[in-house]
């Protein structure tokens, strides 16, 4: 099976590797019927395995009056209880593990800025499956064996660094394990080692491109041809910004620690139309995030917007049943991999949603609108305040102007952004256009929202 990928930055290419052909995993080319048949068997195994081995699942299933043998067809999954981050926190650190500790080859954990961290574990087979799926994503995004991969995802407890690393190695690439931060050093090594591919969060790649320009290096002149970006929401406008700024092809990679890490879904470079979820390993569902109906009725149809829910189909150390991701998106039919459904762009997380005088707003909406205004840069943050004596919340969008934009042009751009936000989102806000370089830069996942409202 061959896959035809376009070849960006070909003129400046230094790699002796062809990016046009690739051999796919047999599961990538399965039909929808084949995938669903595979899913049913794996799902039946997983719910029974979780029930037998993890006390929390036994308790939850028993409380809901449901047994693994009740799963006769795929839609029966809708009758099983959800799992949440709270469940993982309660079972901290290892209570959700389904194998003895001696069989756990590695653990990762979330940063735990709010409450206890969530801990996840992997057997040797889980690590091999994870590496295979990340390799699948990278290949789909244009990466080929023999290419040099600069990995700027953070190494450590975060799943990004080591997860991406193992995937690139499994694909047969030369990995440069850079991690996040030390931007000038990253740039030096990009120039010296001449990688073909960069793996980073989209906002960190923006930091790198920006820093290159400030160091007098033309970001389009590097050896980089492909970027595989994820770990935070990003828009088509941001893709365009990065592709033009660096003369690369940029594809999405999605994942979360509780379900595996990066590599749950990945985007194909030839279509760039959203990430295909690898449905031979994960069964996705969409539910109403605010008020899921009881039983099977809680599952929304393909194309409907809601919260993404995942059930793992092959995991040994941490089987996860109906995990509520809080990520808001929709399921779409597969294109470049017809057996696997795609996810639409993630508009945001249900817990990152700003409710401003009754109107729902996500940072990605601001990104989309701001990047259509030529005088404004992609560097922005959202500040929520409640001025003293007032009951109304106030949103201020602080955004950097681009270099060489005059004060007069900035004033006009601020007005246009304010008006566009009012028209497209429905919220009134204040816009402050600030000097280039004055807002905090990303080293990984960028914090966009600063909530300065009085607590309680
Ligand atoms: O961010 C795993 C990852 C690492 C994915 C590197 C891709 C690349 P967590 O730290 O557990 O894991 O955060 C998971 O990040 O629920 C989403 O809200 C967000 N997220 C991850 N990938 C994307 C993406 C890693 N491509 C949380 N688009 C998820 C939008 C993403 N949001």
């Amino acid at each position: 099976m061959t896959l035809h990928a376009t070849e960006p930055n070909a003129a400046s290419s230094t790699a002796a590797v062809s990016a046009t052909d690739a051999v796919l995993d047999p599961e990538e080319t399965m039909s929808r019927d084949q995938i669903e048949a595979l899913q049913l068997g794996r799902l039946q195994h997983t719910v029974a395995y979780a029930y037998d081995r993890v006390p929390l699942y036994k308790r939850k299933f028993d409380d809901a009056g449901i047994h693994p043998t009740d799963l006769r067809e795929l839609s029966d999954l809708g009758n099983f209880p959800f799992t949440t981050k709270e469940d993982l926190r309660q079972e901290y650190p290892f209570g959700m593990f389904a194998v003895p500790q001696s069989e756990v080859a590695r653990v990762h954990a979330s940063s735990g800025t709010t409450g206890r961290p969530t801990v996840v574990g992997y057997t040797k087979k889980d690590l091999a499956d994870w590496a295979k799926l990340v390799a699948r994503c990278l290949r789909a995004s244009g990466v080929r064996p023999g290419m040099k991969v600069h990995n700027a995802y953070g190494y450590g407890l975060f799943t990004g660094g080591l997860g991406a690393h193992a995937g690139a190695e499994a694909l047969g690439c030369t990995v440069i394990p850079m991690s996040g931060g030390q931007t000038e050093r990253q740039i030096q090594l990009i120039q010296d080692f001449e990688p073909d591919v960069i793996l980073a969060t989209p906002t960190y790649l923006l930091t790198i491109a920006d820093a290159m320009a400030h160091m007098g290096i033309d970001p389009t002149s590097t050896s980089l041809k492909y970027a595989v970006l994820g770990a935070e929401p990003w828009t088509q406008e941001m893709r365009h910004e990065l592709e033009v700024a660096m003369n690369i092809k940029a594809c999405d990679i999605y994942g979360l620690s509780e379900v595996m890490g990066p590599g749950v879904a990945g985007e194909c470079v030839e279509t760039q139309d959203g990430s295909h979820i690898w449905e031979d390993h994960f069964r996705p569902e969409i539910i109403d995030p605010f008020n899921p109906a009881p039983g099977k009725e809680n599952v929304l149809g393909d194309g409907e917007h809601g919260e993404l829910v995942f059930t793992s189909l092959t995991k040994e150390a941490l089987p996860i049943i109906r995990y509520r991701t809080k990520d808001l998106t929709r399921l779409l039919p597969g294109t470049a991999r017809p057996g696997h459904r795609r996810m639409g762009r993630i508009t945001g997380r249900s817990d990152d949603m700003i409710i401003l005088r009754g109107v729902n707003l996500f940072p990605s909406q601001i990104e989309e609108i701001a990047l259509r205004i030529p005088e404004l840069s992609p560097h922005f943050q959202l500040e929520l305040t409640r001025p003293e004596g007032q009951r109304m919340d106030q949103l201020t969008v602080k955004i950097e102007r681009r270099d060489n934009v005059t004060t007069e042009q900035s004033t006009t751009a601020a007005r246009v952004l304010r008006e566009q936000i009012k028209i497209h989102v429905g919220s009134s806000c204040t816009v402050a256009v600030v000097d280039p370089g004055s807002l905090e830069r990303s080293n990984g996942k960028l914090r966009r929202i600063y909530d300065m409202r009085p607590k309680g």
Side-chain angles (χ1 to χ4, degrees):
M1 171 59 64
T2 55
L3 160 113
H4 297 284
T6 50
E7 208 167 353
N9 228 357
S12 63
S13 167
T14 53
V17 183
S18 159
T20 47
D21 293 307
V23 178
L24 305 187
D25 295 340
E27 296 85 353
E28 279 180 275
T29 59
M30 281 182 172
S31 68
R32 187 71 202 152
D33 286 348
Q34 286 174 313
I35 288 283
E36 292 201 339
L38 185 68
Q39 283 186 331
L40 181 60
R42 289 183 168 180
L43 200 51
Q44 285 168 329
H45 166 78
T46 298
V47 289
Y49 177 87
Y51 183 82
D52 291 341
R53 290 177 176 238
V54 183
L56 175 117
Y57 286 121
K58 178 163 189 337
R59 215 164 49 235
K60 283 195 157 212
F61 290 12
D62 288 348
D63 288 351
I66 194 147
H67 189 266
T69 51
D70 294 327
L71 201 146
R72 285 180 217 96
E73 49 189 74
L74 284 175
S75 65
D76 290 334
L77 181 61
N79 291 324
F80 284 72
F82 295 115
T83 308
T84 61
K85 202 176 194 72
E86 220 21 70
D87 290 323
L88 273 94
R89 288 210 173 112
Q90 261 169 33
E91 299 300 311
Y92 177 86
F94 304 140
M96 298 284 285
F97 288 8
V99 296
Q101 182 256 301
S102 58
E103 286 174 35
V104 177
R106 196 194 301 161
V107 294
H108 280 281
S110 71
S111 57
T113 41
T114 51
R116 287 170 166 177
T118 48
V119 180
V120 296
Y122 306 78
T123 62
K124 278 202 168 131
K125 177 178 176 294
D126 292 334
L127 290 177
D129 283 345
W130 184 14
K132 185 186 78 177
L133 291 182
V134 173
R136 196 188 278 183
C137 290
L138 297 179
R139 190 177 53 222
S141 300
V143 186
R144 294 292 175 270
M147 286 188 176
K148 281 178 273 179
V149 175
H150 179 106
N151 185 13
Y153 286 119
Y155 281 67
L157 287 173
F158 173 52
T159 52
L162 285 164
H165 181 112
E169 269 186 4
L171 185 59
C173 300
T174 307
V175 189
I176 301 155
M178 186 62 214
S179 197
Q182 297 185 287
T183 305
E184 287 195 6
R185 185 132 190 270
Q186 306 245 3
I187 293 169
Q188 186 65 52
L189 292 191
I190 290 170
Q191 292 204 292
D192 296 346
F193 293 179
E194 301 189 323
D196 308 279
V197 182
I198 186 159
L199 313 179
T201 63
T203 56
Y204 189 54
L205 189 57
L206 196 62
T207 302
I208 292 177
D210 235 41
M212 278 182 181
H214 283 110
M215 287 161 73
I217 300 164
D218 174 5
T220 61
S221 71
T222 73
S223 56
L224 290 170
K225 295 191 288 297
Y226 297 98
V228 187
L229 311 175
E232 62 185 3
W234 57 304
T235 58
Q236 292 293 359
E237 286 71 16
M238 181 70 106
R239 187 202 312 263
H240 181 70
E241 172 87 20
L242 289 167
E243 288 193 339
V244 171
M246 301 198 76
N247 192 22
I248 49 165
K249 277 275 178 192
C251 284
D252 185 52
I253 183 167
Y254 169 86
L256 64 166
S257 325
E258 293 83 355
V259 174
M260 185 177 75
V264 172
E267 192 168 46
C268 296
V269 70
E270 68 272 41
T271 45
Q272 289 191 307
D273 57 355
S275 287
H276 282 88
I277 297 169
W278 304 124
E279 290 207 54
D280 46 330
H281 290 268
F282 310 100
R283 172 78 185 171
E285 298 169 291
I286 296 285
I287 63 161
D288 176 348
F290 303 110
N291 192 19
K296 275 186 188 183
E297 301 304 311
N298 60 42
V299 183
L300 302 180
D302 285 3
E304 290 190 80
H305 286 275
E307 178 180 344
L308 190 55
V309 168
F310 277 110
T311 301
S312 67
L313 302 176
T314 50
K315 279 173 68 189
E316 292 181 337
L318 191 91
I320 195 106
I321 312 291
R322 304 199 82 204
Y323 184 72
R324 292 190 57 168
T325 63
K326 298 199 168 165
D327 291 326
L328 303 174
T329 183
R330 60 189 177 138
L331 293 176
L332 299 165
T335 50
R337 304 288 184 277
H340 303 258
R341 281 173 289 179
R342 282 169 303 141
M343 47 197 278
R345 285 258 148 182
I346 294 192
T347 42
R349 294 176 52 81
S350 55
D351 52 6
D352 236 13
M353 188 172 78
I354 297 172
I355 305 178
L356 197 68
R357 288 169 237 134
V359 177
N360 302 343
L361 184 153
F362 294 101
S364 60
Q365 292 172 290
I366 306 291
E367 182 176 297
E368 204 175 312
I369 297 169
L371 280 180
R372 291 192 199 134
I373 303 172
E375 291 79 16
L376 300 179
S377 81
H379 302 287
F380 70 92
Q381 65 190 39
L382 307 179
E383 281 183 11
L384 273 174
T385 50
R386 188 173 304 149
E388 243 187 79
Q390 286 192 26
R391 300 222 319 262
M392 295 282 224
D393 292 339
Q394 172 78 40
L395 172 70
T396 304
V397 180
K398 280 194 178 163
I399 185 159
E400 288 179 16
R401 60 181 169 79
R402 293 201 192 256
D403 289 332
N404 308 320
V405 167
T406 63
T407 319
E408 205 182 344
Q409 287 170 320
S410 295
T411 312
T412 311
R415 182 175 46 76
V416 174
L417 180 58
R418 202 175 54 239
E419 286 168 3
Q420 291 292 311
I421 293 173
K422 180 72 190 160
I423 293 167
H424 294 289
V425 185
S427 298
S428 303
C429 66
T430 306
V431 173
V433 177
V434 297
D435 288 342
S438 57
L439 297 179
E440 197 174 315
R441 288 295 184 266
S442 163
N443 263 344
K445 289 181 195 259
L446 180 65
R447 180 169 161 210
R448 291 275 194 206
I449 301 174
Y450 289 76
D451 189 346
M452 276 112 98
R453 291 172 296 183
K455 298 276 169 289

